[in-house]
Amino acid sequence: MRYFVSAMIAIMTGIGSPAWSYEETAVTDGGRVVGTITLDGQVPKPKGYNLTTLPDPFYCGRISDGQGWRILQPFQVGPAGEFREVVVYLDGIDKGKPFAEGGVPQIEAKDCLFLPFTTVVRDDQPVTVVNMDPVMHDIQAYETSHLGPRVLFNVPLPMNPQHPRNFKDRSDAALYHRHMAGTPMKQLVNLTKNRRIFVMQCGFHAYMESWGLAVTNPYFAKTDEQGRFTLTDVPPGTYKLVVWHPYVRSSIERTVTIGPKGTVEAHIAVPAPTGRLYANEVLDHAYIRYNVPEETQKEIEPMIQKQQH
C-alpha cells in the first residue's frame, strides 16, 4: 500500500463534467468517429517491485526479471508508437444510442496481474472481479475526492477450491500453471459526485493494479493493438473527444463536429509523460539498498516468463 496511496493521490484527478441523466433513444442519422492514438516520445519507465519484501515470491515471482524484481509497465505501446489500452470517449452527449448489452464488466486476477489494466464502467453499476490464480488475492478499490482517498470496496478474492494448496516444494508451486475461476465478487462502483476515476489493487501483491473510468454515455472505446478506435451512431453535433490513460496527467482533448451519417477522423499523438511518474520507478542503476542478494535471486527464478526493464 505504500506505493499505492502516494501514486494514487499524485495521479488521480477528477475528470469532472457535471453529472446528468442520459436518455437512450434511436439514432437514425448518426455518424462515426474513427482514428488512432499514438504515444509521441520515449515510453516511460515501468514500475519495479522487490519480491523479497512482498508476499508470495514463489508463485508470483515466476514472472520476474531474474534479479528478484517484478515489473509492471502501465504503458502498452507498439513499435510504431501505437498507444494501446487507452480509453477514448465523447463528452457532452446527453441523448443517443442505448448502452450495449454486455453484462457487468469483469476484471480477472491472472498470473498475479489484474486484467485488463483499464476498464470502462458506468457509475453506480457493479463490476465483477474473479481470481484465476491458485493463490489468494484481496481487492481494494479507491477513488479520490476533495477530502482525499475514499474506499469503494475492500474484499478478499477467493481462489478456486480445486487448486492444490499443499505443494511439496518450491519448484512444484512455481511450475503449477492452471487457471480456474474462483467465486466471482460483484462490487458496486459508486463514485463521489463529479468523480469518474477509481483504482484497484491487491492488498497482498502491490504490483496487481487496475484502473477504471466511469462514463456517462455509451460513446467510448479502448484502443486496440494498432492504437485504433471507432465510435458509432453518434448524434450529429459538436462534442469534446477525450483521450484518457491513468498516468497521462495532462488533458488530451479535441473538439469534433459530426454531421448526419458523417465520418470524422481523429489521429491524436499523446505527448509521452516525462520525469518520475511513480515512487517505485525502475532505476537505471541499482543502489545497494535496492539490491537483491544473489542467493535470494536464485530462489526467485522466473520459471514462466523473464521480464524486461
Side-chain angles (χ1 to χ4, degrees):
M1 289 301 297
R2 58 187 178 279
Y3 303 120
F4 169 64
V5 174
S6 61
M8 181 181 62
I9 294 174
I11 297 164
M12 289 180 64
T13 58
I15 302 180
S17 297
W20 63 80
S21 177
Y22 178 76
E23 180 183 349
E24 296 185 351
T25 185
V27 179
T28 58
D29 57 351
R32 299 192 311 152
V33 182
V34 301
T36 57
I37 307 298
T38 56
L39 187 71
D40 183 16
Q42 185 174 355
V43 178
K45 296 175 184 177
K47 295 182 174 185
Y49 298 85
N50 188 325
L51 290 171
T52 64
T53 57
L54 294 167
D56 190 18
F58 296 147
Y59 181 78
C60 293
R62 301 169 315 147
I63 300 174
S64 66
D65 70 346
Q67 298 179 321
W69 290 79
R70 178 75 184 235
I71 307 301
L72 173 65
Q73 175 53 276
F75 289 82
Q76 301 302 314
V77 182
E82 306 94 331
F83 205 175
R84 304 160 177 168
E85 287 269 327
V86 179
V87 179
V88 182
Y89 67 95
L90 289 173
D91 208 8
I93 301 180
D94 57 2
K95 182 178 181 181
K97 69 178 181 180
F99 280 86
E101 295 183 4
V104 177
Q106 180 165 304
I107 300 170
E108 290 186 351
K110 194 172 184 180
D111 286 330
C112 301
L113 287 173
F114 278 133
L115 301 173
F117 184 71
T118 54
T119 302
V120 182
V121 301
R122 296 174 65 178
D123 190 17
D124 207 23
Q125 296 289 323
V127 62
T128 297
V129 189
V130 179
N131 186 6
M132 304 296 290
D133 286 338
V135 292
M136 286 290 293
H137 295 304
D138 174 77
I139 46 175
Q140 302 174 353
Y142 295 81
E143 67 153 11
T144 61
S145 71
H146 65 287
L147 299 176
R150 182 176 75 92
V151 177
L152 295 177
F153 50 86
N154 183 357
V155 295
L157 194 59
M159 56 185 275
N160 188 302
Q162 299 302 313
H163 282 304
R165 294 175 178 267
N166 298 314
F167 293 100
K168 292 181 180 180
D169 55 36
R170 184 256 169 181
S171 296
D172 284 349
L175 292 175
Y176 178 75
H177 198 223
R178 292 187 63 190
H179 297 119
M180 294 186 288
T183 304
M185 304 301 292
K186 184 181 291 188
Q187 299 296 317
L188 184 67
V189 177
N190 190 315
L191 302 175
T192 303
K193 184 179 180 180
N194 293 340
R195 296 286 163 172
R196 296 172 69 168
I197 301 173
F198 70 94
V199 63
M200 188 175 73
Q201 190 179 41
C202 176
F204 302 142
H205 311 101
Y207 36 86
M208 296 180 63
E209 178 183 313
S210 181
W211 293 79
L213 174 70
V215 295
T216 57
N217 66 59
Y219 295 100
F220 62 87
K222 287 175 60 176
T223 54
D224 63 13
E225 287 293 299
Q226 286 72 47
R228 299 172 305 196
F229 70 92
T230 301
L231 306 174
T232 62
D233 297 324
V234 181
T238 299
Y239 310 107
K240 183 167 61 177
L241 181 69
V242 183
V243 180
W244 178 78
H245 182 278
Y247 286 101
V248 174
R249 300 174 183 173
S250 58
S251 178
I252 309 297
E253 301 175 354
R254 178 176 295 183
T255 300
V256 293
T257 299
I258 300 98
K261 298 185 179 179
T263 296
V264 174
E265 291 193 14
H267 303 285
I268 301 175
V270 176
T274 58
R276 191 161 184 165
L277 300 184
Y278 9 80
N280 54 323
E281 180 180 277
V282 168
L283 301 171
D284 287 328
H285 53 283
Y287 294 96
I288 293 177
R289 67 179 181 273
Y290 292 117
N291 283 347
V292 180
E294 290 187 10
E295 289 301 315
T296 304
Q297 291 181 26
K298 295 177 184 178
E299 292 295 317
I300 311 175
E301 180 183 357
M303 294 184 172
I304 299 300
Q305 177 188 338
K306 185 172 181 178
Q307 297 178 301
Q308 301 296 320
H309 287 188

